[in-house]
Coordinates of all heavy atoms in Angstrom, one line a residue:
M193 N 0.9 -1.1 0.0 CA 0.1 -0.1 0.0 C 0.9 1.2 0.0 O 1.9 1.3 0.7 CB -0.9 0.0 1.3 CG -1.8 1.2 1.2 SD -3.0 1.1 2.7 CE -2.2 2.1 3.8
A194 N 0.5 2.3 -0.7 CA 1.3 3.5 -0.8 C 0.5 4.6 0.1 O -0.7 4.5 0.2 CB 1.3 4.0 -2.2
T195 N 1.3 5.4 0.7 CA 0.9 6.4 1.5 C 1.6 7.8 1.0 O 2.8 7.7 0.6 CB 1.0 6.2 3.0 OG1 2.4 6.1 3.3 CG2 0.3 5.0 3.5
I196 N 0.9 8.8 1.0 CA 1.5 10.1 0.8 C 1.2 11.0 2.1 O 0.1 11.2 2.4 CB 0.8 10.8 -0.4 CG1 1.1 9.9 -1.6 CG2 1.5 12.2 -0.6 CD1 0.3 10.4 -2.8
K197 N 2.2 11.4 2.8 CA 2.1 12.2 4.0 C 2.3 13.6 3.6 O 3.4 14.0 3.1 CB 3.0 11.6 5.0 CG 2.9 12.5 6.3 CD 3.8 11.8 7.4 CE 3.6 12.5 8.8 NZ 4.5 11.9 9.8
V198 N 1.5 14.5 4.0 CA 1.6 15.9 3.8 C 2.4 16.3 5.0 O 1.9 16.3 6.1 CB 0.3 16.7 3.8 CG1 0.6 18.1 3.6 CG2 -0.5 16.2 2.6
R199 N 3.6 16.7 4.9 CA 4.4 17.2 6.0 C 4.1 18.6 6.3 O 3.9 19.5 5.4 CB 5.9 17.1 5.7 CG 6.4 15.7 5.5 CD 7.9 15.6 5.1 NE 8.5 14.6 5.6 CZ 9.8 14.2 5.2 NH1 10.4 14.9 4.2 NH2 10.4 13.2 5.5
Q200 N 4.1 18.9 7.6 CA 3.8 20.3 8.0 C 4.9 21.3 7.5 O 6.1 21.0 7.7 CB 3.8 20.4 9.6 CG 3.4 21.7 10.1 CD 3.2 21.7 11.7 OE1 3.9 20.9 12.3 NE2 2.3 22.5 12.1
N201 N 4.5 22.3 6.7 CA 5.4 23.2 6.1 C 6.5 22.6 5.3 O 7.6 23.1 5.4 CB 5.9 24.1 7.2 CG 4.9 24.9 8.0 OD1 3.7 25.2 7.4 ND2 5.0 25.1 9.3
G202 N 6.2 21.5 4.6 CA 7.3 20.8 3.9 C 6.6 20.0 2.8 O 5.6 20.3 2.1
S203 N 7.3 19.0 2.5 CA 7.0 18.1 1.2 C 6.0 17.2 1.4 O 5.4 17.1 2.4 CB 8.3 17.5 0.9 OG 8.7 16.5 2.0
Y204 N 5.7 16.5 0.3 CA 4.9 15.3 0.4 C 5.7 14.1 0.5 O 6.6 13.9 -0.4 CB 4.0 15.1 -0.9 CG 3.0 16.3 -1.2 CD1 3.2 17.2 -2.3 CD2 1.9 16.4 -0.4 CE1 2.2 18.2 -2.5 CE2 1.0 17.4 -0.7 CZ 1.2 18.3 -1.7 OH 0.3 19.3 -2.0
L205 N 5.6 13.3 1.5 CA 6.5 12.2 1.7 C 5.7 10.9 1.1 O 4.6 10.5 1.6 CB 6.7 12.0 3.1 CG 7.8 10.9 3.4 CD1 9.0 11.1 2.8 CD2 7.8 10.6 5.0
V206 N 6.3 10.3 0.0 CA 5.6 9.1 -0.6 C 6.3 7.9 -0.2 O 7.5 7.8 -0.4 CB 5.7 9.3 -2.2 CG1 5.0 8.2 -2.9 CG2 5.2 10.8 -2.6
D207 N 5.5 7.0 0.3 CA 6.1 5.8 0.8 C 5.3 4.6 0.2 O 4.1 4.6 0.1 CB 5.9 5.7 2.3 CG 6.8 4.6 3.0 OD1 7.6 4.0 2.2 OD2 6.6 4.4 4.2
G208 N 6.0 3.6 -0.2 CA 5.4 2.4 -0.9 C 6.3 1.8 -2.0 O 6.8 2.6 -2.8
D209 N 6.6 0.6 -1.9 CA 7.3 0.0 -3.0 C 6.7 -0.1 -4.3 O 7.3 -0.3 -5.3 CB 7.8 -1.4 -2.4 CG 8.8 -1.3 -1.3 OD1 9.4 -0.3 -1.1 OD2 8.8 -2.4 -0.6
D210 N 5.5 0.0 -4.4 CA 4.7 -0.2 -5.6 C 4.4 1.2 -6.3 O 3.5 1.2 -7.2 CB 3.3 -1.0 -5.3 CG 2.5 -0.3 -4.3 OD1 3.0 0.6 -3.6 OD2 1.4 -0.6 -4.2
V211 N 5.0 2.3 -5.9 CA 4.8 3.6 -6.4 C 5.7 3.8 -7.6 O 7.0 3.7 -7.4 CB 4.9 4.8 -5.4 CG1 4.7 6.1 -5.9 CG2 3.9 4.4 -4.2
T212 N 5.2 4.3 -8.7 CA 6.0 4.8 -9.8 C 5.7 6.3 -10.0 O 4.5 6.6 -10.2 CB 5.7 4.0 -11.1 OG1 5.8 2.5 -10.8 CG2 6.5 4.3 -12.2
L213 N 6.8 7.0 -10.1 CA 6.5 8.4 -10.4 C 6.9 8.7 -11.9 O 8.0 8.4 -12.3 CB 7.5 9.3 -9.4 CG 7.4 10.8 -9.6 CD1 6.1 11.3 -9.3 CD2 8.5 11.5 -8.8
I214 N 5.9 9.2 -12.6 CA 6.1 9.4 -14.0 C 6.0 10.8 -14.4 O 5.2 11.6 -13.7 CB 5.1 8.4 -14.8 CG1 3.7 8.8 -14.5 CG2 5.4 7.0 -14.7 CD1 2.7 8.1 -15.5
D215 N 6.5 11.1 -15.5 CA 6.3 12.6 -16.1 C 5.2 12.5 -17.0 O 4.5 11.6 -17.2 CB 7.7 13.1 -16.7 CG 8.1 12.3 -18.0 OD1 7.2 11.6 -18.5 OD2 9.2 12.6 -18.5
W216 N 5.0 13.7 -17.6 CA 3.8 13.9 -18.5 C 3.8 13.0 -19.7 O 2.8 12.8 -20.4 CB 3.7 15.4 -18.9 CG 4.9 16.0 -19.6 CD1 5.1 16.0 -20.9 CD2 6.1 16.4 -19.0 NE1 6.4 16.6 -21.2 CE2 7.0 16.9 -20.0 CE3 6.5 16.6 -17.6 CZ2 8.2 17.4 -19.7 CZ3 7.8 17.2 -17.4 CH2 8.6 17.5 -18.4
N217 N 5.0 12.5 -20.1 CA 5.1 11.6 -21.2 C 5.0 10.1 -20.8 O 5.2 9.2 -21.6 CB 6.5 11.7 -21.8 CG 6.6 13.1 -22.6 OD1 5.7 13.5 -23.3 ND2 7.7 13.7 -22.4
G218 N 4.8 9.9 -19.5 CA 4.7 8.5 -19.0 C 6.1 7.9 -18.7 O 6.1 6.7 -18.3
N219 N 7.1 8.6 -18.8 CA 8.4 8.1 -18.4 C 8.6 8.2 -16.8 O 8.4 9.1 -16.2 CB 9.5 8.9 -19.1 CG 9.5 8.8 -20.6 OD1 9.3 7.8 -21.2 ND2 9.5 9.9 -21.3
A220 N 9.3 7.1 -16.3 CA 9.5 7.0 -14.9 C 10.8 7.7 -14.4 O 11.7 7.7 -15.1 CB 9.6 5.5 -14.6
Y221 N 10.6 8.4 -13.4 CA 11.7 9.0 -12.7 C 12.5 7.9 -11.9 O 11.8 7.1 -11.3 CB 11.4 10.1 -11.7 CG 10.8 11.4 -12.3 CD1 9.5 11.5 -12.6 CD2 11.7 12.4 -12.7 CE1 8.9 12.6 -13.1 CE2 11.2 13.6 -13.2 CZ 9.8 13.7 -13.4 OH 9.3 14.9 -14.0
P222 N 13.8 7.9 -11.9 CA 14.5 6.9 -11.0 C 14.3 7.4 -9.6 O 14.4 8.5 -9.3 CB 16.0 7.0 -11.5 CG 16.1 8.4 -12.2 CD 14.7 8.7 -12.7
I223 N 14.0 6.4 -8.8 CA 13.8 6.6 -7.3 C 15.0 6.0 -6.5 O 15.2 4.8 -6.5 CB 12.5 6.1 -6.8 CG1 11.4 6.5 -7.6 CG2 12.3 6.3 -5.4 CD1 11.0 8.0 -7.6
A224 N 15.9 6.9 -6.1 CA 17.1 6.5 -5.5 C 16.8 5.7 -4.1 O 17.5 4.7 -3.7 CB 18.1 7.5 -5.3
K225 N 15.9 6.2 -3.4 CA 15.6 5.7 -2.0 C 14.1 5.9 -1.7 O 13.5 6.8 -2.3 CB 16.4 6.4 -1.0 CG 16.2 7.7 -0.9 CD 17.0 8.3 0.4 CE 16.8 9.8 0.6 NZ 15.5 10.1 1.0
R226 N 13.7 5.0 -0.9 CA 12.3 5.2 -0.4 C 12.2 5.2 1.0 O 12.9 4.5 1.7 CB 11.4 4.0 -1.0 CG 11.3 4.0 -2.5 CD 10.6 2.8 -3.1 NE 10.8 2.8 -4.4 CZ 9.8 3.3 -5.3 NH1 8.6 3.7 -4.8 NH2 9.9 3.2 -6.6
P227 N 11.3 6.0 1.6 CA 10.3 6.8 1.0 C 11.1 8.0 0.3 O 12.2 8.2 0.6 CB 9.4 7.4 2.1 CG 10.3 7.2 3.3 CD 11.2 6.1 3.1
F228 N 10.3 8.7 -0.6 CA 10.8 9.8 -1.2 C 9.9 11.0 -1.1 O 8.8 10.9 -0.8 CB 11.2 9.6 -2.7 CG 9.9 9.2 -3.6 CD1 9.3 10.2 -4.2 CD2 9.6 7.9 -3.6 CE1 8.2 9.8 -5.0 CE2 8.5 7.6 -4.4 CZ 7.8 8.5 -5.1
A229 N 10.6 12.3 -1.1 CA 9.7 13.5 -0.9 C 9.5 14.3 -2.1 O 10.5 14.4 -2.9 CB 10.4 14.4 0.2
L230 N 8.3 14.6 -2.5 CA 8.1 15.6 -3.5 C 7.9 17.1 -3.1 O 7.3 17.2 -2.0 CB 6.8 15.1 -4.2 CG 6.7 13.7 -4.9 CD1 5.4 13.3 -5.4 CD2 7.8 13.7 -5.9
C231 N 8.4 18.0 -3.9 CA 8.4 19.4 -3.6 C 6.9 19.8 -3.6 O 6.2 19.6 -4.5 CB 9.2 20.2 -4.5 SG 9.1 22.0 -4.2
R232 N 6.6 20.6 -2.6 CA 5.2 21.2 -2.4 C 5.4 22.7 -2.4 O 4.4 23.4 -2.8 CB 4.5 20.8 -1.2 CG 3.1 21.2 -1.0 CD 2.4 20.4 0.0 NE 2.9 20.5 1.4 CZ 2.3 21.0 2.4 NH1 1.1 21.4 2.3 NH2 2.8 21.1 3.6
C233 N 6.5 23.3 -2.2 CA 6.7 24.7 -2.1 C 7.0 25.2 -3.4 O 6.9 26.6 -3.6 CB 7.8 25.0 -1.2 SG 9.6 24.8 -1.8
G234 N 7.4 24.6 -4.4 CA 7.8 25.1 -5.7 C 9.3 25.6 -5.8 O 9.7 26.1 -6.9
G235 N 10.0 25.5 -4.8 CA 11.3 26.1 -4.7 C 12.5 25.1 -5.0 O 13.6 25.5 -5.0
S236 N 12.3 23.9 -5.0 CA 13.3 22.9 -5.2 C 14.0 23.1 -6.6 O 13.4 23.4 -7.6 CB 12.7 21.5 -5.2 OG 13.7 20.6 -5.5
T237 N 15.3 22.9 -6.5 CA 16.1 22.9 -7.9 C 16.2 21.4 -8.5 O 16.7 21.3 -9.4 CB 17.4 23.5 -7.7 OG1 18.1 22.7 -6.6 CG2 17.4 24.9 -7.1
N238 N 15.5 20.5 -7.7 CA 15.5 19.2 -8.2 C 14.1 18.6 -8.3 O 13.8 17.5 -7.9 CB 16.4 18.3 -7.1 CG 16.5 16.9 -7.6 OD1 16.7 16.7 -8.8 ND2 16.6 16.0 -6.7
K239 N 13.2 19.4 -8.9 CA 11.8 19.1 -9.1 C 11.7 17.8 -9.9 O 12.5 17.6 -10.8 CB 11.0 20.1 -9.6 CG 10.9 21.4 -8.7 CD 9.9 22.4 -9.4 CE 10.0 23.7 -8.7 NZ 11.2 24.5 -8.9
P240 N 10.8 17.0 -9.6 CA 9.8 17.1 -8.7 C 10.1 16.7 -7.3 O 9.1 16.7 -6.3 CB 8.6 16.1 -9.2 CG 9.5 15.0 -9.7 CD 10.6 15.7 -10.4
F241 N 11.3 16.5 -7.0 CA 11.8 16.0 -5.7 C 12.1 17.2 -4.7 O 12.5 18.3 -5.3 CB 13.0 15.0 -5.7 CG 12.7 13.9 -6.6 CD1 13.2 13.8 -7.8 CD2 12.0 12.8 -6.0 CE1 13.0 12.7 -8.6 CE2 11.8 11.6 -6.7 CZ 12.3 11.6 -8.1
C242 N 11.9 17.0 -3.6 CA 12.2 18.1 -2.6 C 13.6 18.1 -2.2 O 14.3 16.9 -2.2 CB 11.4 17.8 -1.2 SG 12.0 18.6 0.2
D243 N 14.3 19.2 -2.2 CA 15.7 19.2 -1.9 C 16.0 20.0 -0.7 O 17.1 20.5 -0.3 CB 16.5 20.0 -3.1 CG 16.2 21.4 -3.2 OD1 15.2 21.9 -2.6 OD2 16.8 22.1 -4.1
G244 N 15.0 20.3 0.2 CA 15.1 21.0 1.5 C 15.0 22.5 1.4 O 14.9 23.2 2.5
T245 N 14.8 23.1 0.2 CA 14.7 24.5 0.0 C 13.5 25.0 0.9 O 13.6 26.2 1.3 CB 14.5 24.9 -1.4 OG1 15.7 24.5 -2.2 CG2 14.2 26.4 -1.6
H246 N 12.4 24.3 1.0 CA 11.3 24.8 1.7 C 11.6 25.4 3.2 O 11.1 26.4 3.5 CB 10.2 23.7 1.8 CG 10.7 22.5 2.6 ND1 11.2 21.4 2.1 CD2 10.7 22.3 4.0 CE1 11.5 20.5 3.0 NE2 11.2 21.0 4.1
S247 N 12.6 24.8 3.7 CA 13.0 25.3 5.1 C 13.7 26.5 5.0 O 13.7 27.4 5.9 CB 13.7 24.2 5.9 OG 14.9 23.9 5.3
K248 N 14.5 26.7 3.9 CA 15.3 27.9 3.7 C 14.5 29.2 3.4 O 14.8 30.3 3.7 CB 16.3 27.7 2.6 CG 17.4 26.7 3.0 CD 18.4 26.4 1.8 CE 19.1 25.2 2.1 NZ 19.6 24.6 0.9
V249 N 13.4 28.9 2.6 CA 12.5 30.1 2.2 C 11.3 30.3 3.1 O 10.5 31.1 2.9 CB 12.0 29.8 0.8 CG1 13.1 29.7 -0.2 CG2 11.1 28.6 0.7
G250 N 11.2 29.5 4.1 CA 10.2 29.6 5.2 C 8.8 29.2 4.7 O 7.9 29.9 5.0
F251 N 8.7 28.2 3.8 CA 7.5 27.8 3.3 C 6.7 27.4 4.4 O 6.9 26.7 5.4 CB 7.7 26.6 2.4 CG 6.5 25.9 1.9 CD1 5.7 26.6 0.9 CD2 6.1 24.7 2.3 CE1 4.4 26.0 0.5 CE2 4.8 24.0 1.8 CZ 4.1 24.7 1.0
Q252 N 5.3 27.9 4.3 CA 4.3 27.6 5.3 C 3.1 27.2 4.6 O 2.6 27.8 3.7 CB 4.0 28.7 6.3 CG 5.2 29.1 7.1 CD 4.8 30.1 8.2 OE1 3.9 30.7 8.3 NE2 5.8 30.1 9.3
A253 N 2.4 26.2 5.1 CA 1.1 25.7 4.6 C 0.3 25.2 5.8 O 0.9 24.4 6.7 CB 1.4 24.6 3.6
A254 N -0.9 25.5 5.9 CA -1.7 25.2 7.0 C -2.7 24.2 6.8 O -3.6 23.9 7.7 CB -2.3 26.5 7.5
E255 N -2.7 23.5 5.6 CA -3.7 22.5 5.3 C -3.5 21.2 6.2 O -2.5 20.7 6.2 CB -3.8 22.1 3.9 CG -3.7 23.3 2.9 CD -2.2 23.5 2.6 OE1 -1.4 22.7 2.6 OE2 -2.0 24.7 2.2
A256 N -4.6 20.9 6.9 CA -4.5 19.7 7.7 C -5.8 19.0 7.3 O -6.8 19.6 7.0 CB -4.3 19.9 9.2
A257 N -5.7 17.7 7.4 CA -7.0 16.9 7.0 C -7.9 17.1 8.2 O -7.6 17.2 9.3 CB -6.6 15.4 7.1
V258 N -9.1 17.3 7.7 CA -10.2 17.5 8.8 C -11.0 16.3 8.9 O -11.5 15.8 7.9 CB -11.2 18.7 8.3 CG1 -12.3 18.9 9.3 CG2 -10.4 20.0 8.2
P259 N -11.1 15.7 10.1 CA -11.9 14.5 10.3 C -13.3 14.7 9.9 O -13.8 15.8 10.0 CB -11.7 14.2 11.7 CG -10.6 15.0 12.3 CD -10.5 16.2 11.3
E260 N -13.8 13.6 9.2 CA -15.2 13.8 8.7 C -16.1 13.9 10.1 O -15.9 13.4 11.2 CB -15.6 12.5 8.1 CG -14.9 12.3 6.8 CD -15.3 11.0 6.0 OE1 -16.5 10.6 6.1 OE2 -14.5 10.3 5.5
S261 N -17.0 14.7 9.8 CA -18.0 15.0 10.9 C -18.7 13.7 11.2 O -19.1 13.0 10.3 CB -18.9 16.1 10.6 OG -19.7 15.9 9.5
R262 N -19.0 13.5 12.4 CA -19.8 12.2 12.8 C -21.1 12.7 13.3 O -21.4 13.7 14.0 CB -19.0 11.6 14.0 CG -17.7 11.2 13.6 CD -17.0 10.3 14.6 NE -15.7 10.0 14.2 CZ -14.7 9.7 14.9 NH1 -14.8 9.7 16.3 NH2 -13.6 9.4 14.4
E263 N -22.1 11.9 12.8 CA -23.5 12.3 13.2 C -23.9 11.4 14.2 O -23.6 10.3 14.5 CB -24.4 12.1 11.9 CG -24.0 13.2 10.9 CD -24.8 13.0 9.7 OE1 -25.9 12.4 9.6 OE2 -24.4 13.4 8.6
Ligands
FES258 S1 8.9 21.2 -0.4 FE1 11.0 20.8 0.0 S2 11.9 22.0 -1.5 FE2 9.9 22.3 -1.9

């Protein structure tokens, strides 16, 4: 099973051995290690991967999952 974790003020952490990351042409990116992090801030020089730039530029994002309301 694959999971994508939204990191607080950071990247998307993708975990799972069955995940393939492809570009718009359908070509796979080589994945050096798992889990791997995808850039969410737009500042990485190694897109689509996170290179840690988010912490240098002070990227902040406040989205958190909201539990479904219970009736
Ligand atoms: S989220 Fe890490 S460099 Fe963009």
Side-chain angles (χ1 to χ4, degrees):
M193 181 175 99
T195 59
I196 302 173
K197 180 176 184 178
V198 179
R199 288 173 150 168
Q200 186 175 29
N201 301 323
S203 62
Y204 295 114
L205 186 66
V206 181
D207 197 6
D209 292 335
D210 56 344
V211 175
T212 303
L213 180 63
I214 60 172
D215 69 10
W216 57 95
N217 292 313
N219 298 315
Y221 290 92
I223 307 296
K225 64 178 181 67
R226 293 173 189 266
F228 60 94
L230 297 176
C231 180
R232 184 162 63 119
C233 76
S236 174
T237 59
N238 189 32
K239 293 182 190 78
F241 301 99
C242 168
D243 69 355
T245 297
H246 61 268
S247 60
K248 296 176 191 155
V249 299
F251 176 69
Q252 294 194 342
E255 315 90 25
V258 178
E260 292 181 38
S261 62
R262 296 186 183 156
E263 297 177 20

